[in-house]
């Protein structure tokens, strides 16, 4: 009964938002409403730094504000990283490519996956640059031998924000639009070249709000199952913990972007003005 009430309230909220024509808010609710996407796994963890399941209060607060569509900053103004206009809701901050937080967020997700593959005795390698002869490109964040049947696999992590200008209209029209766009972009770039070498190219796409692409869910579940078999642990618990570790790493990366881009700090004299 409680679940039915929640679903009905969600439907009413989405309809009211659509009536107002708030495209960003519709896109946000669509992203958070993606079923079985593990988008809220970071909210269910028991804090444990030893398992990588801990967000500091300053990280948790800004990540939660962004998730709820609440203003992250008390004022808008120049971004202290790139100097461009930064909005109160944090959309610019989360998309700002200056400094190294976006790369660090990406790498932390790859580290969690690679660490799980190592613990599962799958002999993974990171960022294989010699996979495609004659090319200097790196098609894999994690390369796992014989992962896809008899074929080796190149797993490539990508994070996309459904609330960025380039995606928000599509995300408002179609839930999961940003995930499909990220998946297609990665496949268009690397699938053919990997296929010619007998390598299965597998994007691991996730939205900044936390939802994973369905094919990424298959791969993470498979990896968690392999880890459980290797360690003799319960499969469901191990898979859940792996998704939680990834979810926490993603939110920690989001928080770094938001906390380091408070518009009030542009002149380097103002104190932190994160709400």
């Amino acid at each position: 009964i409680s679940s039915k009430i929640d679903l009905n309230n969600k439907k009413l909220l989405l309809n009211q938002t659509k009536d107002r024509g708030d495209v960003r808010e519709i896109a946000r609710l669509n992203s958070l409403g993606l079923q079985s996407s593990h988008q809220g796994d970071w909210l269910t963890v028991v804090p444990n730094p030893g398992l990588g399941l801990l967000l500091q209060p300053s990280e948790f607060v800004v990540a939660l504000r962004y998730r709820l569509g609440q203003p992250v900053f008390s004022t808008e103004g120049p971004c202290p990283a790139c100097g461009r206009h930064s909005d109160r809701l944090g959309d610019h901050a989360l998309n700002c490519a200056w400094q190294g937080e976006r790369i660090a967020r990406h790498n932390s997700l790859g580290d969690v996956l690679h660490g799980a593959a190592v613990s599962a005795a799958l002999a993974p390698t990171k960022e294989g640059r010699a996979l495609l002869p004659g090319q200097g490109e790196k098609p894999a964040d994690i390369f796992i031998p014989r992962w896809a049947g008899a074929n080796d696999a190149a797993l490539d992590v990508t994070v996309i924000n459904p609330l960025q200008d380039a995606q928000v209209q599509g995300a408002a029209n179609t839930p999961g639009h940003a995930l499909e766009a990220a998946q297609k972009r990665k496949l268009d770039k690397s699938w053919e070249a990997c296929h010619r070498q007998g390598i299965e190219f597998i994007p691991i796409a996730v939205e900044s709000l936390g939802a994973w692409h369905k094919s990424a869910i298959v791969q993470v579940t498979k990896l968690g199952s392999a880890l459980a078999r290797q360690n003799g642990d319960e499969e469901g618990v191990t898979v859940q913990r792996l998704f939680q570790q990834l979810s926490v790493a993603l939110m920690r990366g989001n928080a770094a972007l938001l906390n380091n881009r408070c518009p009030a700090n542009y002149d380097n004299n103002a104190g932190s003005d994160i709400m």
Side-chain angles (χ1 to χ4, degrees):
I1 293 176
S2 176
S3 177
K4 289 182 178 180
I5 292 174
D6 288 343
L7 289 173
N8 185 63
N9 287 339
K10 171 192 165 186
K11 183 179 179 180
L12 291 174
L13 177 61
L14 186 57
N15 287 338
Q16 291 171 359
T17 305
K18 288 180 177 178
D19 289 341
R20 294 198 305 269
D22 189 337
V23 173
R24 182 191 185 276
E25 188 67 0
I26 296 170
R28 184 184 68 85
L29 292 174
N30 279 344
S31 178
L32 297 179
L34 289 171
Q35 297 295 311
S36 304
S37 65
H38 293 272
Q39 50 82 17
D41 282 7
W42 62 286
L43 294 169
T44 64
V45 304
V46 176
N48 187 325
L51 296 176
L53 298 177
L54 178 67
L55 287 170
Q56 297 298 330
S58 61
E59 296 172 329
F60 185 88
V61 168
V62 294
L64 189 60
R65 280 188 172 277
Y66 194 77
R67 174 184 173 87
L68 294 176
Q70 296 298 305
V72 176
F73 309 122
S74 63
T75 183
E76 59 184 34
C79 171
C82 68
R84 297 178 180 176
H85 180 76
S86 183
D87 58 284
R88 293 182 66 204
L89 293 174
D91 290 338
H92 168 81
L94 209 60
N95 296 319
C96 181
W98 287 69
Q99 300 178 345
E101 293 91 348
R102 276 177 56 179
I103 295 174
R105 179 182 63 182
H106 168 274
N107 290 345
S108 67
L109 293 173
D111 288 344
V112 172
L113 293 172
H114 180 260
V118 169
S119 297
L122 298 174
T125 56
K126 273 188 181 182
E127 301 185 350
R129 295 182 180 277
L131 301 180
L132 305 178
Q135 299 187 30
E137 294 187 359
K138 172 183 66 64
D141 290 308
I142 305 100
F143 177 79
I144 305 180
R146 299 174 299 282
W147 180 246
N151 292 335
D152 301 336
L155 277 58
D156 197 23
V157 176
T158 183
V159 183
I160 189 167
N161 187 359
L163 306 185
Q164 64 178 286
D165 290 343
Q167 299 294 333
V168 67
Q169 186 64 61
N173 293 336
T174 307
H177 167 84
L179 283 174
E180 294 300 335
Q183 181 86 353
K184 183 178 185 302
R185 183 176 66 232
K186 283 291 185 180
L187 289 172
D188 289 347
K189 180 180 179 182
S190 299
W191 185 88
E192 181 62 33
C194 287
H195 181 69
R196 288 197 297 267
Q197 300 301 320
I199 299 171
E200 188 72 21
F201 178 76
I202 305 173
I204 305 295
V206 60
E207 290 186 352
S208 56
L209 286 169
W212 293 85
H213 191 276
K214 57 186 178 183
S215 68
I217 292 174
V218 170
Q219 297 303 315
V220 175
T221 301
K222 181 179 176 181
L223 183 54
S225 298
L227 180 58
R229 289 194 300 270
Q230 176 66 22
N231 295 337
D233 296 330
E234 185 178 340
E235 182 175 335
V237 172
T238 303
V239 171
Q240 180 187 30
R241 182 178 299 160
L242 181 55
F243 273 110
Q244 289 176 333
Q245 289 171 334
L246 289 165
S247 187
V248 167
L250 175 64
M251 292 304 139
R252 188 180 296 122
N254 287 350
L257 282 157
L258 295 168
N259 283 326
N260 292 334
R261 284 165 175 76
C262 179
N265 291 336
Y266 181 72
D267 60 7
N268 294 321
N269 293 317
S272 175
D273 211 14
I274 293 176
M275 298 180 67

